[in-house]
Amino acid sequence: MKLGVLDIGSNCAQLQIVDGAPGAPPLPALAIKEPTRLAEEIEDNGALSEDGVARVIRAVGEAMVAARQNHVEELFVYATSAIRDAANRDAVLDRIENDTGIRPQFLTGEDEARLTYAAAHRWYGWSAGRILLLDIGGGSLEIALGRDAKPELALSLPLGAGRLTRAFLPDDPPTRAQLRKLRRHVRATLREISDRLRWEGPAARTVATSKTFKQLARVCGAAPQRKGPFVRRELRAADLRRLLPELAAKPAAKRAKMRGISAGRARQIVAGAVVAEQAMKAFDLESVELCPWALREGVILRYLAGLPDQVPDLHLQPVRGAARPEDAVPLRPVADGDLPLP
């Protein structure tokens, strides 16, 4: 079957189309990515601005056109924290549904952590032992820990790179005082969970899945995406400590010219680096390994495994008005090669 997953995030709306079958890995077919940049569009009252709403509607509309053209009959559509936490989220959902014919659903931060963990666990297999997972999104930091298919611990903290940039780093580049305040906030937020993780004992493998971690690892010398998903990539804490002052000293326009950092994330990569640095310090980690599979793969894998109860309140929706075969056009590949193979 051909399934679609439309992930409406803080930075982009990404449609991933996979050829899937029960018992088989979700083989990536095509993908399309449209910018949303919602972290820039949260107003003082917590609502998503009119420009942000229009950008989301345009991105979802483009994704739905692509889904129809490529004969996706049903897909999962979900929005992460930028819309989920918006003060006007119901009005935003109504407008998306009215304009595009599809209504995004929500996962809680804990659900995101569990599903992302499930993807990482499937990627590495049972021999991986106990896995500690870290994922820095635009609005939240997801953490999961476990040995089995379901994690023992799954939680979400309000430490997303976009959220923290908006709250703590208004200047570009940020001042030293702003960075100190951000570090104190992140350290205090992580303190309780770090005590819990020490109680649980060390993990056999620590993995990171987010674009923030991937771009930081690339700047520090990890292999580019074109080398494929089976190349081992890691981010070392020592390299990150050396990189952070350089990132913080540059304005976003110059960060975007650094190896591996995209223009869309250049503004918030400093906050993301602070979260990564403080998390690795709090959890006594010398390095993290980059996992190619993440939330989208976790959603599909749970569905293909016949475990819909593991994807609460997230259901397949029909794609109406599928295009005729002769009208199908190939999607352009995601620019940064973010289409992991099984």
Side-chain angles (χ1 to χ4, degrees), residues 1 3 20-24 26 118 122 149 297-311:
M1 66 183 73
L3 294 173
R122 184 69 66 88
E297 288 78 15
V299 170
I300 295 171
L301 285 165
R302 284 302 192 187
Y303 174 77
L304 294 176
L307 299 171
D309 61 304
Q310 297 299 315
V311 191

Side-chain angles (χ1 to χ4, degrees), residues 73-153:
E73 295 183 0
E74 292 185 303
L75 78 163
F76 293 101
V77 185
Y78 58 87
T80 51
S81 63
I83 295 178
R84 182 182 67 216
D85 298 339
N88 59 339
R89 76 175 191 183
D90 291 336
V92 174
L93 293 182
D94 290 342
R95 289 187 55 184
I96 294 173
E97 185 175 20
N98 290 337
D99 286 27
T100 69
I102 206 81
R103 188 177 186 86
Q105 301 160 82
F106 294 111
L107 294 170
T108 67
E110 288 75 14
D111 289 335
E112 289 184 29
R114 281 191 286 269
L115 288 165
T116 305
Y117 168 89
H121 186 273
R122 184 69 66 88
W123 177 269
Y124 290 109
W126 295 102
S127 64
R130 196 179 226 184
I131 292 175
L132 172 62
L133 171 91
L134 304 175
D135 186 295
I136 303 171
S140 57
L141 164 68
E142 273 67 58
I143 302 172
L145 175 70
R147 183 192 307 277
D148 301 326
K150 295 181 182 180
E152 304 159 23
L153 173 70

Side-chain angles (χ1 to χ4, degrees), residues 164-177:
L164 296 180
T165 300
R166 187 172 64 251
F168 290 91
L169 306 181
D171 294 337
D172 181 31
T175 66
R176 291 184 179 180

Side-chain angles (χ1 to χ4, degrees), residues 56-338:
V56 170
I57 291 172
R58 184 166 56 251
V60 173
E62 291 289 335
M64 295 306 299
V65 168
R68 295 186 187 100
Q69 289 176 334
N70 288 271
H71 317 299
V72 175
E73 295 183 0
E74 292 185 303
L75 78 163
F76 293 101
V77 185
Y78 58 87
T80 51
S81 63
I83 295 178
R84 182 182 67 216
D85 298 339
N88 59 339
R89 76 175 191 183
D90 291 336
V92 174
L93 293 182
D94 290 342
R95 289 187 55 184
I96 294 173
E97 185 175 20
N98 290 337
D99 286 27
T100 69
I102 206 81
R103 188 177 186 86
Q105 301 160 82
F106 294 111
L107 294 170
T108 67
E110 288 75 14
D111 289 335
E112 289 184 29
R114 281 191 286 269
L115 288 165
T116 305
Y117 168 89
H121 186 273
R122 184 69 66 88
W123 177 269
Y124 290 109
W126 295 102
S127 64
R130 196 179 226 184
I131 292 175
L132 172 62
L133 171 91
L134 304 175
D135 186 295
I136 303 171
S140 57
L141 164 68
E142 273 67 58
I143 302 172
L145 175 70
R147 183 192 307 277
D148 301 326
K150 295 181 182 180
E152 304 159 23
L153 173 70
L155 55 86
S156 180
L157 301 175
L159 295 178
R163 183 194 298 267
L164 296 180
T165 300
R166 187 172 64 251
F168 290 91
L169 306 181
D171 294 337
D172 181 31
T175 66
R176 291 184 179 180
Q178 290 168 357
L179 287 169
R180 283 195 299 269
K181 186 176 180 181
L182 173 58
R183 277 196 175 95
R184 285 196 297 268
H185 173 76
V186 174
R187 191 180 305 122
T189 305
L190 290 172
R191 188 169 293 127
E192 288 190 14
I193 183 58
S194 64
D195 291 342
R196 168 68 185 275
L197 290 179
R198 288 191 179 95
W199 179 267
E200 296 288 350
R205 186 186 296 264
T206 302
V207 301
T209 57
S210 64
K211 185 64 70 176
T212 294
F213 273 112
K214 291 177 180 179
Q215 293 196 0
L216 291 171
R218 180 73 185 107
V219 175
C220 291
Q225 289 296 314
R226 67 176 181 273
K227 295 294 185 180
F230 301 112
V231 174
R232 190 177 190 277
R233 299 173 175 88
E234 69 173 356
L235 175 63
R236 296 181 58 81
D239 293 336
L240 181 57
R241 285 194 297 269
R242 285 192 293 268
L243 173 66
L244 226 170
E246 180 183 359
L247 286 177
K250 295 177 183 288
K254 290 188 176 180
R255 287 182 219 130
K257 297 178 180 179
M258 297 175 69
R259 175 181 59 192
I261 296 181
S262 64
R265 294 177 187 271
R267 180 75 175 84
Q268 65 182 46
I269 195 67
V270 174
V274 170
V275 174
E277 174 206 36
Q278 291 299 311
M280 294 174 76
K281 183 177 181 179
F283 306 153
D284 300 320
L285 305 175
E286 294 183 2
S287 67
V288 293
E289 184 174 351
L290 279 297
C291 178
W293 278 359
L295 178 58
R296 288 186 293 274
E297 288 78 15
V299 170
I300 295 171
L301 285 165
R302 284 302 192 187
Y303 174 77
L304 294 176
L307 299 171
D309 61 304
Q310 297 299 315
V311 191
D313 301 322
L314 186 62
H315 308 289
L316 283 168
Q317 299 187 56
V319 179
R320 298 177 178 84
R324 298 173 299 171
E326 59 269 26
D327 294 333
V329 296
L331 300 181
R332 64 183 184 276
V334 172
D336 56 8
D338 190 17

